């Protein structure tokens, strides 16, 4: 983690730059945190064809995968995005080959082990997690269709060499994945919960890990 002496000045700069950049007013946590519900695995039991059921289950799970809390860290380029509208990260970050930020301005300079509230700012809070980092370039999701994301997620050459069983564990137990449902003041959360999401991924795998067209 970057030196603590750097963290607060950078944090203040981040807030100042964000306001100066004209970022729209962010809604309160109460207005943005209701991501709704995810369908349960049992809701798909009426689909008799196993392949069709598998595809339908992934489409439901993709409501999490394509939510801003996830897709901001799976950008099309090596620059993360922010907010509900996926605007460029403020300040501009270019990760290049590193998942934790460029030399001299690591992600941890501003993003700590937990969310940090910002009193009196429209930004509300700085998100944080002990494992905060950008997804590898092979896992870029922005701009892809649900089917393309599906094929990427199960491709061991692009998913971190994860087996299907590894994917289920990753989606259900990884702390950074779980952060999405606890994103801090001023951010919406994806629908459902990590438990429900992992159950859908597990059911998708069990039914053959089929991908929608």
């Amino acid at each position: 983690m970057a030196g603590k002496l750097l963290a607060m000045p950078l944090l203040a700069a981040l807030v100042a730059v964000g306001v100066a950049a004209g970022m729209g007013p962010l809604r309160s946590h109460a207005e943005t945190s209701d991501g709704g519900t995810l369908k349960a695995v049992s809701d798909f039991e009426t689909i008799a064809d196993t392949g069709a059921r598998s595809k339908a289950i992934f489409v439901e799970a993709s409501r999490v995968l394509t939510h801003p809390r996830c897709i901001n860290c799976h950008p099309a380029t090596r620059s993360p995005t922010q907010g509900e509208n996926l605007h460029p990260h403020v300040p501009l970050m270019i990760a290049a080959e590193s998942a934790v930020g460029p030399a001299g301005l690591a992600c941890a300079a501003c993003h700590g082990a937990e969310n940090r509230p910002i009193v009196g700012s429209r930004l509300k809070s700085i998100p944080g997690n002990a494992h905060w980092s950008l997804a590898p370039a092979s896992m870029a999701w922005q701009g892809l269709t649900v089917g393309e994301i599906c094929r990427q997620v199960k491709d061991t050459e692009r998913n971190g060499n994860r087996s299907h069983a590894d994917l289920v564990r990753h989606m259900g137990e990884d702390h950074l994945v779980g952060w999405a449902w606890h994103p801090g003041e001023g951010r919406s959360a994806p629908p459902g919960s990590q438990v429900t999401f992992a159950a859908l991924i597990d059911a998708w795998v069990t039914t053959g890990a089929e991908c929608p067209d």
Side-chain angles (χ1 to χ4, degrees):
M1 185 171 181
K4 292 183 179 179
L5 292 178
L6 285 175
M8 293 312 296
L10 283 170
L11 189 60
L14 176 61
V15 174
V17 172
V19 172
M23 291 164 55
L26 299 176
R27 296 169 291 171
S28 71
H29 182 68
E31 293 175 307
T32 62
S33 62
D34 182 10
T37 60
L38 280 175
K39 291 181 179 179
V41 173
S42 59
D43 292 326
F44 298 90
E45 291 177 353
T46 56
I47 302 178
D49 182 81
T50 303
R53 185 162 69 253
S54 187
K55 292 177 183 180
I57 289 171
F58 189 86
V59 168
E60 182 67 9
S62 75
R63 294 176 57 208
V64 172
L65 297 173
T66 59
H67 189 277
R69 296 294 75 73
C70 298
I71 209 164
N72 273 328
C73 289
H74 288 260
T77 68
R78 298 306 292 155
S79 294
T81 54
Q82 292 177 317
E84 308 303 304
N85 61 356
L86 312 185
H87 62 262
H89 191 286
V90 179
L92 180 64
M93 297 290 289
I94 301 176
E97 297 302 318
S98 172
V100 293
L105 188 58
C107 299
C110 291
H111 297 282
E114 57 187 21
N115 301 326
R116 295 174 179 171
I118 304 177
V119 178
S121 168
R122 289 184 296 174
L123 198 59
K124 301 297 184 183
S125 65
I126 297 293
N129 183 274
H131 305 288
W132 196 266
S133 64
L134 191 67
S138 64
M139 299 180 194
W141 293 346
Q142 285 186 21
L144 300 185
T145 66
V146 171
E148 288 170 335
I149 293 174
C150 179
R151 288 184 283 276
Q152 185 180 42
V153 164
K154 70 176 187 178
D155 183 351
T156 55
E157 293 186 0
R158 294 186 290 168
N159 72 2
N161 197 34
R162 292 184 175 92
S163 66
H164 285 169
D166 292 334
L167 284 175
V168 175
R169 284 192 294 272
H170 175 67
M171 301 299 190
E173 300 175 12
D174 186 88
H175 287 194
L176 189 53
V177 173
W179 170 89
W181 287 273
H182 308 279
E185 189 78 7
R187 295 174 194 85
S188 67
S193 66
Q194 187 173 19
V195 171
T196 306
F197 173 58
L200 287 171
I201 296 297
D202 185 38
W204 168 66
V205 166
T206 301
T207 52
E210 297 289 339
C211 291
D213 298 330

